[in-house]
Amino acid sequence: MNKPAAVETTESEAERLEARQSRTLADASTAMMAVYQTLFGLLLLVLWQAASQWLIDPFFISSPLEVIARLVAWTSDGSIFVHIWATVYATFLGFAIGAVLGVVGGIWLGVSPFFSRLLNPYIWAFNALPKVALAPLLILWFGLGIHSKVALAAVLVVFLVFVNTFSGVREVDQDLIDGVRLMKAKRSQILMKVILPSALSWIFVGLKSSLPYALIGVIIGEMIASNKGLGYLVQRAGSEFDTAGAFAALTIIAVIAAVLNEFVQASQERLERWKIVNR
């Protein structure tokens, strides 16, 4: 074997070894992946602490120790739980309302070609509107209480869920629908037994994509006009130049977002157990 061929063979073996190692890491168990994620998070915290001590003024980025101390203080006096509940409650309401409206609207237009063509320009025109800019208007309509935050969250959710649901319904195999119709299935049976199960993956993509926006909508509403909630804490900390307080509130928001995403993921896996996925 000449030298170039030997070098090429060595490189190929190295690439195969690297590919096997990558697959091994990707196929790690849930517990092992949780360990990797924890170690990565600890590494980020160490880098943040080091940066706050030697590279950047802590006034601008605070530090993990200060943030943890603030979280402990808020937990000890119990004040944080009022704000967490206000944000989570409004997020759930807004998400539920927007999700229901988005799914129902997407299914209705997906199975109604005439209304789909009729309303298409209006739907996309409304979808192009900057939803966050509606916050002052919604506060004017619904007041300074929880209703305006719920409304803003629902508006942010409804179009994302609607677009994905509509696309999922339109992608259902027409031959499958025709076959069920030949078996004298009713319209409701076609909807429940064929269309909804087939579009379920699309619906959950919309739900998972819109869930963070529901939380964002509530946070924005709380920052604009509220006296409680995590958004209010962020706004108050910013106005008081309290960097540690702002990062502490943002940390709680990030944790809530991660928990809600896991909740939706678990729901999807439970509802889609019947599906056979080729990998």
Side-chain angles (χ1 to χ4, degrees), residues 3 27-28 40 53 120 127 163 219:
K3 187 174 181 180
D27 295 335
F40 182 72
Q53 287 185 345
N120 184 67
N127 188 39
V163 170
I219 296 298

Side-chain angles (χ1 to χ4, degrees), residues 43 53 55 99 111 117 121 125-126 153-154 181 219 226 230 264 271:
L43 176 62
Q53 287 185 345
L55 297 177
V111 299
R117 294 181 59 190
F126 282 116
R181 282 176 177 166
I219 296 298
S226 183
L230 297 175
V264 175
L271 290 173

Side-chain angles (χ1 to χ4, degrees), residues 65-270:
L65 294 179
E66 291 182 3
V67 172
I68 292 173
R70 184 61 54 85
L71 291 173
V72 170
W74 285 349
T75 304
S76 299
D77 61 22
S79 60
I80 190 61
F81 298 110
V82 175
H83 300 289
I84 292 176
W85 171 249
T87 299
V88 171
Y89 181 64
T91 300
F92 265 114
L93 280 181
F95 177 73
I97 294 172
V100 170
L101 293 177
V103 170
V104 172
I107 293 174
W108 174 55
L109 288 185
V111 299
S112 305
F114 170 76
F115 287 105
S116 175
R117 294 181 59 190
L118 176 66
L119 300 177
N120 184 67
Y122 300 97
I123 291 172
W124 290 109
F126 282 116
N127 188 39
L129 293 175
K131 311 301 185 302
V132 176
L134 297 176
L137 188 60
L138 294 175
I139 291 174
L140 178 64
W141 288 348
F142 297 100
L144 300 177
I146 189 176
H147 300 91
S148 58
K149 287 76 177 176
V150 172
L152 181 57
V155 168
L156 291 174
V157 168
V158 65
F159 282 102
L160 286 172
V161 177
F162 166 80
V163 170
N164 282 276
T165 302
F166 177 78
S167 300
V169 172
R170 297 300 294 268
E171 289 294 324
V172 176
D173 190 350
Q174 188 61 43
D175 292 337
L176 181 60
I177 296 176
D178 293 338
V180 175
R181 282 176 177 166
L182 289 175
M183 292 186 287
K184 307 298 182 181
K186 298 179 181 178
R187 187 179 180 89
S188 59
Q189 292 175 322
I190 295 175
L191 178 63
M192 299 302 297
K193 301 296 184 180
V194 179
I195 295 178
L196 272 179
S198 299
L200 199 60
S201 296
W202 290 78
I203 294 173
F204 270 102
V205 168
L207 293 176
K208 287 192 290 186
S209 301
S210 63
L211 185 55
Y213 286 92
L215 183 59
I216 290 171
V218 172
I219 296 298
I220 291 174
E222 291 172 345
M223 294 179 68
I224 294 175
S226 183
N227 60 357
K228 59 182 177 180
L230 297 175
Y232 163 74
L233 285 183
V234 174
Q235 190 276 334
R236 188 183 70 180
S239 64
E240 296 174 352
F241 301 101
D242 180 10
T243 312
F247 273 103
L250 291 173
T251 300
I252 298 173
I253 293 171
V255 171
I256 291 175
V259 171
L260 294 178
N261 181 72
E262 289 298 322
F263 173 76
V264 175
Q265 181 67 34
S267 300
Q268 179 180 7
E269 292 175 356
R270 184 177 181 84

